[in-house]
Amino acid sequence: MTEAEEALLVKRLLDEKTQRDAFSVLVKSFSERLYWQIRKIVISHEDANDVLQNAFIKIWTNIDSFRGDSKLTTWLYKIAINESISFVNKQRQQQNVPLDDSDNFLESKLESDSFFDGDEAQLKLQKAILTLPEKQRIVFNLKYFEEMKYEEMSEILDTSVGALKASYHHAVKKIEDFLSQFN
């Protein structure tokens, strides 16, 4: 979506007369991208669908508070990521999973996800990513899979560009170390 298209969509979202149609366009335009970002955090397909719905509900109920200080996509990603983190934290809490055991918790979700259709290499990469601390995992996914610029990530995650670059560098190193075990 170009900047002009996004600006027009925001204008339509903020106008009560065109809000519903514009929201339908927003859902069609961003569902897939947000789904995959959410799925990288919550792992399971079913959970990702639930979180995506929750994110769109939150977007709908808060659309009037969007001030345009950032790009619409940045705001959408921020909501989706925050909903994902809240969901995972709530699941950990409900299942009494200690914070230091969270990578095993997520890895078991990955292994039991019947919708995961990757090959052995993709499974190893996903397991390596799951060993990362949450913030590094999110930064790695945004940079590696979404090819997002650090400046946009900075707005989404409320973190400095320098800290994001360091997080990405450490994440890559940890993933390389994890994957080197298999060679």
Side-chain angles (χ1 to χ4, degrees), residues 16-180:
E16 286 185 26
K17 294 174 188 153
T18 57
Q19 196 172 52
R20 286 190 183 275
D21 290 336
F23 189 74
S24 291
V25 170
L26 179 130
V27 170
K28 286 177 189 156
S29 300
F30 293 99
S31 285
E32 187 173 350
R33 286 171 56 190
L34 293 177
Y35 166 85
W36 284 109
Q37 185 55 47
I38 291 167
R39 176 117 184 242
K40 287 177 184 95
I41 298 171
V42 302
I43 307 304
S44 149
H45 167 72
E46 287 88 4
D47 292 343
N49 276 334
D50 291 344
V51 173
L52 180 62
Q53 280 188 342
N54 291 341
F56 277 123
I57 290 168
K58 186 164 264 186
I59 290 163
W60 174 254
T61 58
N62 292 294
I63 197 69
D64 293 333
S65 67
F66 180 70
R67 297 181 310 273
D69 297 343
S70 63
K71 290 174 33 178
L72 178 64
T73 52
T74 302
W75 188 68
L76 298 174
Y77 268 91
K78 187 174 204 159
I79 290 171
I81 288 170
N82 288 338
E83 285 295 305
S84 302
I85 291 168
S86 294
F87 179 84
V88 170
N89 288 340
K90 188 175 182 181
Q91 275 196 321
R92 282 186 190 130
Q93 204 172 35
Q94 289 172 342
Q95 297 179 20
N96 293 319
V97 176
L99 283 176
D100 59 346
D101 199 29
S102 60
D103 56 330
N104 291 332
F105 167 70
L106 292 172
E107 186 176 323
S108 68
K109 288 178 77 171
L110 174 67
E111 290 172 348
S112 66
D113 187 0
S114 60
F115 290 95
F116 181 80
D117 60 357
D119 61 14
E120 187 67 26
Q122 290 169 318
L123 183 61
K124 285 178 185 172
L125 175 59
Q126 289 305 314
K127 286 182 178 183
I129 293 169
L130 291 176
T131 65
L132 300 172
E134 185 174 81
K135 182 176 180 181
Q136 284 182 10
R137 190 168 62 245
I138 292 169
V139 169
F140 181 83
N141 285 329
L142 289 172
K143 185 69 179 158
Y144 185 80
F145 293 109
E146 301 288 324
E147 299 178 354
M148 191 175 285
K149 292 181 171 33
Y150 287 112
E151 292 74 18
E152 189 170 358
M153 275 192 267
S154 175
E155 288 183 47
I156 293 169
L157 301 173
D158 293 324
T159 305
S160 72
V161 169
L164 292 169
K165 287 180 179 180
S167 287
Y168 183 73
H169 172 76
H170 291 300
V172 169
K173 180 72 174 120
K174 288 175 184 175
I175 290 170
E176 287 172 350
D177 291 346
F178 181 91
L179 294 175
S180 71

